[in-house]
Amino acid sequence: MGETLAQLGENELLHRLARFAPAGQLDDDTAQVHTNEGELLINTDVMVEGIHFSEDTTTPKDVGWRCVTANLSDLAASGVDQILGITVGLVVPPETPWDWVEKVYLGIEAALKQFGGTLLGGDCSRGDQRLLAITALGTLGPVRLHRSQAQPGDSLVVSGPHGLSRLGLALLRSDPLIEAALLPDKLKQKAIEAHQHPQPCLKALHALQTCKPAELPWRAGGTDSSDGLLAAVQGLCRSSGCRAILDPTGLPKDPDWPLGQHWDSWCLNGGEDFELILSLPPKWATAWLQVLPSSQIIGVMEQGPPRVEWAHGKGEVSNFSSFKHFQ
Amino acid sequence: MGETLAQLGENELLHRLARFAPAGQLDDDTAQVHTNEGELLINTDVMVEGIHFSEDTTTPKDVGWRCVTANLSDLAASGVDQILGITVGLVVPPETPWDWVEKVYLGIEAALKQFGGTLLGGDCSRGDQRLLAITALGTLGPVRLHRSQAQPGDSLVVSGPHGLSRLGLALLRSDPLIEAALLPDKLKQKAIEAHQHPQPCLKALHALQTCKPAELPWRAGGTDSSDGLLAAVQGLCRSSGCRAILDPTGLPKDPDWPLGQHWDSWCLNGGEDFELILSLPPKWATAWLQVLPSSQIIGVMEQGPPRVEWAHGKGEVSNFSSFKHFQ
């Protein structure tokens, strides 16, 4: 039978699939489509019950909202201008109540109403497990963000704090360790909101598009942090052939975020943060910090092997708990 | 818990989902996207193991081929010009061999090579069941085919024979009734080929685009017969508010197709035929028959309640065995 996907892991799987697409096409989550009339961005995300959402922690309306958000976040992390819309491939067991489906679509509708675009169609089928495959379509704005466009000398900047969604999940699951931590109510509310009702990083992108110093070209490395902050920075390193140096005292945390290794790990590896992670010339980074108060510098890009290291020679940043798709 | 999808059935489900999309957007399988630079067609199809394909009857390479074909057939039935490409949402259990995935993508690659477009990207996730959600993107040609554009007085025409794919499935499953029927080898081979290696109706569309009598406007009703011939004609009737009259002696069958009610039923309701079903002004229909030898007239569209009837007042055409997505 040969190797299984569990043995390969996701990175090797994507690497092997890359040969079926034009060179570089699968390097980012979003693909660029050249038409005679202009450039389009297209992105597909699959969300499976029991893996990406569950009835315990996510209402059906939030399932719809999060599916759209995850897709639009990828379009934002590629430099979208106008969001045209989405298609929905819906798979559900026949015993699924209509009520569940309706609420999912109400969540989809609410997200499209807020962020733009329309429901363009789709397909439905029965299957053993509830899942949605969403494809989002948009036009390209002035800067095409790519993982491969980071350069040594860039500042590494993020649009907001990380780890909130992971904390929200723990709270929704009534994790006893977290309940014992006596967190401020404000942080708890923010974390649950981040998990159930995430926002795509479209505002952060818009700020980036409007603040570029005139003397700089439209070149920036970028991705979103849907698989976690560290995975996002590792993606930039791998595709750009650069080393990232992170400042251990400058992790992007909420002001109320507790201290400790466990909490740092959730900030780095929590996942589903949907923030923009950018590699920018320092002048552009500074301009972005001024127009987007939630953003911050977390490190620099340097020449060197493609990996993420702590500043002051403190070794490689560990991703022991990052999200694995097939393991 | 309210109604389940099994209780609703697919037509009612689609009807209820229609309110989440712009008016008429879900009326056809393919959606039209207006951009500032031109019109795009986009279509999503989901194919689930155990429902749309199975290891017994379809090689992994043919799974990939058929997924692309089904999507391109929908684009063709909407009037595509250039096929831009597809995205693939792949869901597989972790124990799936890489070999299976690779062969699926080889089938996808072969279909794109033959019909145009590239692999634009996608997403992978683990799940309980193998499935593919494919979204195809293309530009719109001179005529936008809609189910809703049929008119009384039109000829009802199809691009080729129907039922072959259903026969191929029966042969691949070694159905004893079929094995006893002593069919010509030529028919058997054609049927297995139609099931495992279907062709999207792009040639038939191209013929249609080039043969329009100059005095007629670019108006035609159309769909494909992926859910079966009768379902396709019923869709035209429902969306256009017309009655279709079928000639019982003029069903579109292969020259070697046996006589009998069972065989007529497979022609009408077999499904997965991927032919173009058009409602055309008689002059345009005649021109199409001349440039596309496999095509034929199967009836006419009339004013009347939206249903499909046999000619000479012989009653409504039954679809007792048509494909149900949720039942």
Side-chain angles (χ1 to χ4, degrees):
Chain A
M1 292 288 281
E3 295 151 297
T4 68
L5 299 192
Q7 288 164 334
L8 286 190
E10 195 197 6
N11 282 340
E12 176 61 21
L13 174 63
L14 290 178
H15 178 72
R16 291 189 184 188
L17 292 180
R19 76 171 155 101
F20 294 104
Q25 186 72 278
L26 300 191
D27 202 37
D28 299 287
D29 294 325
T30 298
Q32 185 167 339
V33 190
H34 175 76
T35 75
N36 289 337
E37 298 91 10
E39 299 297 322
L40 298 169
L41 297 172
I42 188 165
N43 182 69
T44 295
D45 261 353
V46 181
M47 300 197 85
V48 181
E49 185 164 40
I51 296 165
H52 302 95
F53 62 88
S54 79
E55 213 140 11
D56 306 338
T57 56
T58 321
T59 67
K61 194 170 173 191
D62 285 336
V63 169
W65 174 277
R66 285 183 62 208
C67 287
V68 175
T69 302
N71 262 280
L72 299 191
S73 178
D74 277 325
L75 290 190
S78 297
V80 74
D81 180 18
Q82 191 199 348
I83 292 160
L84 298 170
I86 62 163
T87 68
V88 180
L90 174 73
V91 177
V92 283
E95 63 272 19
T96 305
W98 156 248
D99 185 58
W100 187 86
V101 175
E102 184 178 38
K103 284 179 178 155
V104 168
Y105 276 78
L106 285 170
I108 288 172
E109 186 177 56
L112 292 176
K113 201 168 169 187
Q114 181 156 345
F115 304 116
T118 58
L119 179 61
L120 297 169
D123 193 22
C124 303
S125 173
R126 72 174 187 272
D128 295 342
Q129 198 176 15
R130 294 178 188 172
L131 68 86
L132 288 104
I134 298 214
T135 298
L137 196 67
T139 57
L140 178 62
V143 56
R144 174 65 164 105
L145 299 171
H146 281 291
R147 287 199 178 97
S148 64
Q149 293 297 304
Q151 285 184 9
D154 279 354
S155 299
L156 197 55
V157 281
V158 304
S159 60
H162 281 71
L164 285 165
S165 177
R166 184 63 190 79
L167 171 58
L169 178 64
L171 289 165
L172 289 161
R173 284 178 175 167
S174 306
D175 182 328
L177 279 175
I178 297 307
E179 296 200 336
L182 296 176
L183 303 172
D185 282 346
K186 206 174 107 196
L187 178 63
K188 288 185 189 176
Q189 284 158 17
K190 242 190 276 183
I192 288 174
E193 176 74 9
H195 186 76
Q196 291 188 327
H197 207 68
Q199 304 289 313
C201 42
L202 289 160
K203 266 191 204 164
L205 172 68
H206 187 70
L208 181 77
Q209 288 166 336
T210 52
C211 77
K212 183 182 71 68
E215 70 272 25
L216 292 175
W218 285 107
R219 190 278 309 163
T223 184
D224 80 339
S225 50
S226 53
D227 286 342
L229 172 61
L230 180 55
V233 179
Q234 285 170 333
L236 290 173
C237 292
R238 206 167 36 236
S239 295
S240 300
C242 298
R243 171 161 59 182
I245 306 293
L246 293 194
D247 175 2
T249 66
L251 286 180
K253 305 174 195 173
D254 185 88
D256 289 324
W257 199 251
L259 294 175
Q261 203 189 342
H262 168 82
W263 295 93
D264 284 359
S265 168
W266 274 7
C267 173
L268 283 165
N269 299 310
E272 303 205 318
D273 293 298
F274 302 121
E275 299 288 344
L276 264 191
I277 314 298
L278 301 173
S279 178
L280 293 178
K283 266 198 163 178
W284 195 356
T286 307
W288 197 49
L289 296 185
Q290 280 166 5
V291 293
L292 192 74
S294 64
S295 65
Q296 72 173 82
I297 296 182
I298 61 163
V300 292
M301 298 302 275
E302 289 187 352
Q303 279 197 319
R307 63 184 187 214
V308 187
E309 294 178 11
W310 294 117
H312 317 303
K314 302 231 160 131
E316 194 164 355
V317 181
S318 137
N319 63 346
F320 57 92
S321 68
S322 72
F323 185 76
K324 298 279 193 305
H325 285 277
F326 285 104
Q327 282 136 324
Chain B
M1 294 288 280
E3 297 151 296
T4 68
L5 298 191
Q7 287 163 337
L8 287 190
E10 195 197 7
N11 282 341
E12 176 61 20
L13 174 63
L14 290 178
H15 178 71
R16 291 190 183 188
L17 292 180
R19 73 170 156 102
F20 294 104
Q25 185 73 279
L26 301 191
D27 202 38
D28 298 288
D29 294 324
T30 297
Q32 184 166 340
V33 191
H34 174 76
T35 74
N36 289 337
E37 297 93 10
E39 299 297 322
L40 297 170
L41 297 172
I42 188 165
N43 182 71
T44 295
D45 262 352
V46 181
M47 301 197 87
V48 181
E49 184 162 41
I51 297 165
H52 302 94
F53 62 89
S54 78
E55 214 141 10
D56 304 340
T57 57
T58 321
T59 66
K61 193 171 173 189
D62 285 336
V63 169
W65 174 277
R66 284 183 62 208
C67 287
V68 175
T69 301
N71 261 280
L72 299 191
S73 178
D74 278 323
L75 290 191
S78 296
V80 73
D81 180 18
Q82 191 200 348
I83 292 159
L84 298 170
I86 64 164
T87 68
V88 180
L90 174 73
V91 177
V92 283
E95 63 271 19
T96 305
W98 156 250
D99 185 57
W100 187 86
V101 175
E102 183 177 39
K103 283 178 178 155
V104 169
Y105 276 79
L106 285 170
I108 288 172
E109 185 176 57
L112 292 176
K113 200 168 169 186
Q114 182 156 346
F115 304 116
T118 58
L119 178 61
L120 296 169
D123 192 22
C124 304
S125 173
R126 72 174 186 270
D128 294 344
Q129 198 175 16
R130 294 177 188 173
L131 69 86
L132 289 104
I134 298 215
T135 298
L137 195 68
T139 56
L140 178 62
V143 56
R144 173 65 164 106
L145 300 171
H146 280 291
R147 286 200 180 96
S148 64
Q149 294 296 303
Q151 285 183 8
D154 279 354
S155 299
L156 197 55
V157 281
V158 304
S159 60
H162 281 71
L164 285 167
S165 176
R166 183 65 189 81
L167 172 58
L169 178 64
L171 289 165
L172 288 162
R173 285 178 176 167
S174 307
D175 182 329
L177 278 175
I178 297 309
E179 295 201 338
L182 297 176
L183 303 172
D185 283 344
K186 206 174 108 197
L187 179 62
K188 289 186 188 177
Q189 283 158 16
K190 244 191 274 184
I192 288 174
E193 177 74 8
H195 187 76
Q196 293 188 324
H197 207 68
Q199 303 290 312
C201 42
L202 289 160
K203 265 190 204 162
L205 171 68
H206 187 71
L208 181 76
Q209 288 166 336
T210 52
C211 76
K212 183 182 72 68
E215 69 273 24
L216 292 175
W218 285 107
R219 190 279 307 164
T223 184
D224 80 339
S225 51
S226 52
D227 287 342
L229 172 61
L230 181 54
V233 179
Q234 286 170 333
L236 288 173
C237 292
R238 206 166 37 234
S239 296
S240 300
C242 298
R243 172 161 57 183
I245 306 293
L246 293 195
D247 175 1
T249 65
L251 286 180
K253 304 174 196 172
D254 185 89
D256 289 324
W257 198 250
L259 293 175
Q261 203 189 344
H262 168 82
W263 295 93
D264 284 359
S265 169
W266 274 7
C267 174
L268 283 164
N269 300 308
E272 304 206 315
D273 293 299
F274 303 120
E275 298 289 344
L276 264 190
I277 313 298
L278 300 174
S279 178
L280 292 178
K283 266 198 164 178
W284 196 355
T286 307
W288 195 50
L289 297 185
Q290 280 166 4
V291 293
L292 191 76
S294 64
S295 65
Q296 75 173 79
I297 295 182
I298 62 163
V300 293
M301 297 303 275
E302 289 188 351
Q303 278 197 318
R307 63 185 187 212
V308 186
E309 294 177 12
W310 292 119
H312 319 301
K314 301 231 159 132
E316 194 165 354
V317 181
S318 137
N319 62 346
F320 57 92
S321 69
S322 71
F323 185 76
K324 297 281 192 305
H325 285 277
F326 287 103
Q327 281 136 324

